[in-house]
Amino acid sequence: MAEPGAGAVPEAVPATAMQEALWWVHQRARDRSVYHLTWRLGVDEPLDEAALAVAWQAMVDRHEALRTSVVRQADAVTLVVAPRIVVGLHRLEVDDPGDADPGTLLRLVAEEVHAAPVDPAAAPLARITLVRVGDRHEVLLTVHHMVLDGWAVQLLVGELSEAYAAVREGREVSFPADPVPFSTYAREQATARADGRWEKSLAYWCDALAGAASAVLEPDLPGEVASGAPGAILRYGFSAEAGAGIAALAKATFATPFAIILGAAQLVLARAGAGPDVAVGVVTANRMTTRDQALLGYTANLCVARVRVAETDTVAAVVGAARDGMWQMLTHQAVPYPVVFGALPEQTRAALGDPAPLLLSYLGPIGTDLRLGPVPAMLLPSPNRAARADVAMSVWEADGGYLAEIEYHTGRYRESSVLALLHDLDAVLADGGAEPQRTVGSFDVATRARTGRAAPATVDRDPATGPLPESAHWRHVVAAWTDVLGAPPAGSDADFFASGGNSLSALRLVDALAADGRPAVDVVRWLGEPTPRRLADLLGGGSEPVSAESTLVRLRDGSGPHLHLVHGAGGSPQDYQDLLAALPEHWRVTASRDSAQLPTVPDLARRYQADLDAAGLVPDLLGGWSFGGQVAYQMAADQVGRRPALVLLDSAPPVGYELPDEEVRQRFDTFTENIHRALDLEPDAPRPRTTGGTGPGGFDERLAVGALAACLAAVRQPVPTALLAHRWHSYERHTRAGAGYVHDGPVDTPALVIGADLLDAQLDQWAARVGAATSHRIDTDHFGVLHSAAVAQVAAAVIDFARVAAARG
């Protein structure tokens, strides 16, 4: 919730080239969490939430980067700095994990929290979530890489620790000096680009990378190269022998640990098949001054380290070459990689790949002696599930040794291949340190690599390579596409970026489409699906819309009575499977599903009835559980002439009631209970509780849904977060529809009213709204009506009622 100060106007400054590149990646990524950073901090005791909230607010007040939004204005990506933003904390708790492993549940929760959207256009692009599972605690700090890099996150955690300690001790939060505003750095970057300050370094990179091709691991799987592809994290501890080898090589070559690890990686890749000319991506901190080392913001850059590795070279020689190359790289690292990449010939760009397929970074002693005030904290494995590149490896110092965290593309690589690379690297460091004069050709490696990324394989979508549709809009799209990329699209669903496009050519394409006074295409809406078909749709000239999908589901055909069921709130026809099994096999049973996404009971009733009519079906019995009974009642009310008999399964009568926004958390608890019942989970299965958020009642629905997904996965009943979110939104929409539904009746048709949680007064209200009501009490709760032993009693009551209704018929 942003609260600019009185009269204050948010300040706009140009984004840096690297931030602009990340903005484009964010917009087109398959998984938009690809550039989220989450530090999982394990703590041995609960933190003082009120004190931490005050400390966190102090951090947001202090640092511009935490009040910055990244937006596209006209043709530029811009940083908008708010003068003031009020922030809070999020809390997620699972009191009893039940049979779920607490460590697994904590990891799954962290993955869901990490993946929750961080909208670049809505500051703050950072959040803190306190997590408790049983008696275990974690603090999750999630930021968007667009505003903070890893160096900055470490600075932030250090300052947050100091501020938290001050609040706990009753002291004012203060620091020796005010921070340098990140906007100052961003303006300096814009000035350097405009006045030609980078030209000398740009010329160096163009010369150094002439004809270069990235080293890439041979893929195991045919996954598509794409930003935000599915990924996994593997943490690896280098052996003591490898640590001793790094120390020995440092003494022999005067190289830094990072240069030694880089040289060893280049040696492994050369032996693995990449050949003598090895180029890999290196992420640099790009902080060469004392001021920049204290700057909270995004300064990191990507450089390409290129070296020649001959079979007769010694390990010491390879490390020495890596050392010398790193000095040159650091001298010229200020030029943002997108600027370098854009200046290279097209053939070199294709051979290097964007992003670079292999990335290395060195984090020094990051994560050492972490604390939050007096509470020690441990940096746990990253919860990232999206891949920036094929393989991205970060190495840091820990407990006198070295740790690595590998993020890899699970659609292209198996864990075994990643481990092979790590084991080879470990062996080269250990054996090369013990014998620096050992030659490259004497090493045998299990890793398999090559030079140059092959053209992306399309495995999960059909590019529709047949003839393109004919229309003025389609001809316009094809002409603009051809002008920008030099060739027409391969098909209706060809991916612009996989076809050779980039962010600059995307803007050219959009500009070309807007020529001759045509309406502009919203590039952000297009980037999520960058295909010709989507362009034509946005121009208004896509394919003719297909008729809406029918809501009718046939559960069982038969010659007996026809029962039609309507889903409950947030439910589906699947929820009636136990009842279906208990009914006679010769009964015909159909159901309605909520594919129409309509907002009111009358709207849903009309649509469901229309689909029954279109299929030529006239049910004998019409009903549903809970909210479904209300829709069925309205469907019967809308009939003229003979109406089907009603089966109302613990459905509240349509008298309307207030639905306070602040009770949304309680409704989510009810939704959770529905999901648990539908999955037949044990009563002690873990249930999440969340607090904090900007929604009604301080509720964060994305956090709550993610936490529920984590709990289900922890008990081996995984449900995709997106599916849970869809069902929750349906449940909330249905609940609001039911609360606002009023119908005084009467509807002249017999009805069976099954009561579980219904009050006697509610049964009387139903009796006043139908022709003849048969009430039947079931000894269960509202959720048990469709499950366990009670469903047999429900089925028996429905069967008896069908006989009575038919006799009256």
Side-chain angles (χ1 to χ4, degrees), residues 332-467:
H332 298 286
Q333 69 177 321
V335 187
Y337 185 68
V339 176
V340 173
F341 191 78
L344 297 173
E346 182 176 346
Q347 185 175 359
T348 303
R349 292 202 302 268
L352 286 175
D354 182 22
L358 292 179
L359 298 175
L360 294 176
S361 61
Y362 187 75
L363 307 177
I366 195 169
T368 300
D369 194 29
L370 288 175
R371 312 184 72 79
L372 286 169
V375 181
M378 176 181 293
L379 185 60
L380 300 171
S382 169
N384 193 18
R385 293 188 296 200
R388 293 170 290 167
D390 281 356
V391 176
M393 179 170 70
S394 298
V395 181
W396 68 97
E397 303 161 20
D399 299 325
Y402 295 88
L403 289 177
E405 203 164 80
I406 308 288
E407 170 193 299
Y408 64 98
H409 184 336
T410 55
R412 286 171 61 78
Y413 300 98
R414 296 187 179 93
E415 183 181 283
S416 57
S417 292
V418 178
L419 283 171
L421 173 63
L422 288 164
H423 291 154
D424 287 339
L425 183 56
D426 197 302
V428 167
L429 290 170
D431 296 345
E435 191 179 349
Q437 297 307 310
R438 182 171 171 176
T439 61
V440 171
S442 68
F443 286 94
D444 291 323
V445 299
T447 303
R448 294 292 174 261
R450 55 178 164 78
T451 298
R453 173 178 274 167
T458 302
V459 297
D460 58 355
R461 67 174 73 180
D462 181 359
T465 54

Side-chain angles (χ1 to χ4, degrees), residues 325-686:
M326 284 200 68
W327 279 115
Q328 289 293 323
M329 182 174 62
L330 294 176
T331 300
H332 298 286
Q333 69 177 321
V335 187
Y337 185 68
V339 176
V340 173
F341 191 78
L344 297 173
E346 182 176 346
Q347 185 175 359
T348 303
R349 292 202 302 268
L352 286 175
D354 182 22
L358 292 179
L359 298 175
L360 294 176
S361 61
Y362 187 75
L363 307 177
I366 195 169
T368 300
D369 194 29
L370 288 175
R371 312 184 72 79
L372 286 169
V375 181
M378 176 181 293
L379 185 60
L380 300 171
S382 169
N384 193 18
R385 293 188 296 200
R388 293 170 290 167
D390 281 356
V391 176
M393 179 170 70
S394 298
V395 181
W396 68 97
E397 303 161 20
D399 299 325
Y402 295 88
L403 289 177
E405 203 164 80
I406 308 288
E407 170 193 299
Y408 64 98
H409 184 336
T410 55
R412 286 171 61 78
Y413 300 98
R414 296 187 179 93
E415 183 181 283
S416 57
S417 292
V418 178
L419 283 171
L421 173 63
L422 288 164
H423 291 154
D424 287 339
L425 183 56
D426 197 302
V428 167
L429 290 170
D431 296 345
E435 191 179 349
Q437 297 307 310
R438 182 171 171 176
T439 61
V440 171
S442 68
F443 286 94
D444 291 323
V445 299
T447 303
R448 294 292 174 261
R450 55 178 164 78
T451 298
R453 173 178 274 167
T458 302
V459 297
D460 58 355
R461 67 174 73 180
D462 181 359
T465 54
L468 296 171
E470 273 294 327
S471 72
H473 281 297
W474 270 100
R475 287 192 292 273
H476 186 52
V477 167
V478 172
W481 185 290
T482 304
D483 180 60
V484 171
L485 294 185
S492 303
D493 294 323
D495 185 285
F496 179 79
F497 295 96
S499 303
N502 55 41
S503 59
L504 295 178
S505 54
L507 290 177
R508 284 179 51 211
L509 177 62
V510 170
D511 288 342
L513 290 171
D516 302 325
R518 294 173 185 266
V521 170
D522 185 342
V523 69
V524 175
R525 292 178 64 194
W526 176 63
L527 286 171
E529 186 184 343
T531 66
R533 187 190 304 278
R534 181 61 172 154
L535 282 176
D537 288 342
L538 292 172
L539 285 171
S543 306
E544 290 297 317
V546 296
S547 59
E549 181 183 8
S550 175
T551 61
L552 181 65
V553 178
R554 299 175 188 267
L555 299 179
R556 180 196 291 162
D557 288 325
S559 59
H562 178 188
L563 168 64
H564 183 80
L565 296 165
V566 179
H567 58 81
S572 73
Q574 184 69 16
D575 297 336
Y576 292 109
Q577 59 181 341
D578 291 347
L579 177 61
L580 182 66
L583 291 172
E585 292 186 0
H586 69 287
W587 277 34
R588 172 184 289 185
V589 184
T590 57
S592 292
R593 62 180 175 186
D594 184 23
S595 57
Q597 303 281 303
L598 297 171
T600 70
V601 169
D603 288 337
L604 288 164
R606 283 191 292 270
R607 176 57 194 277
Y608 296 167
Q609 186 60 53
D611 286 340
L612 276 169
D613 293 344
L617 296 176
V618 181
D620 302 296
L621 303 171
L622 181 62
W625 172 71
S626 192
F627 172 74
Q630 293 183 327
V631 178
Y633 174 77
Q634 181 64 48
M635 290 170 70
D638 290 341
Q639 299 296 305
V640 176
R642 181 182 178 275
R643 294 185 172 97
L646 286 168
V647 175
L648 307 173
L649 306 178
D650 213 40
S651 300
V655 296
Y657 59 93
E658 184 180 357
L659 191 68
D661 281 343
E662 59 271 14
E663 293 180 4
V664 63
R665 199 183 316 277
Q666 297 175 20
R667 296 197 292 277
F668 189 82
D669 290 342
T670 302
F671 170 75
T672 298
E673 182 67 23
N674 284 351
I675 295 296
H676 279 227
R677 294 286 188 129
L679 295 174
D680 197 25
L681 296 182
E682 296 296 328
D684 65 346

Side-chain angles (χ1 to χ4, degrees), residues 59-146:
M59 293 298 96
V60 175
D61 292 342
R62 175 171 165 78
H63 293 292
E64 270 192 358
L66 298 177
R67 305 193 308 278
T68 296
S69 303
V70 186
V71 299
R72 184 170 179 266
Q73 296 178 341
D75 289 336
V77 177
T78 302
L79 309 179
V80 178
V81 182
R84 167 78 173 160
I85 294 179
V86 175
V87 296
L89 305 179
H90 302 268
R91 176 180 287 279
L92 192 159
E93 297 179 315
V94 178
D95 292 328
D96 181 4
D99 292 336
D101 174 64
T104 299
L105 184 50
L106 283 165
R107 174 181 59 79
L108 292 167
V109 164
E111 289 176 358
E112 293 293 342
V113 171
H114 172 87
V118 179
D119 181 2
L125 307 191
R127 59 176 176 249
I128 290 179
T129 307
L130 302 179
V131 180
R132 178 178 65 81
V133 172
D135 59 358
R136 293 177 60 174
H137 300 267
E138 288 185 9
V139 179
L140 307 179
L141 172 60
T142 303
V143 305
H144 202 295
H145 213 356
M146 267 188 253

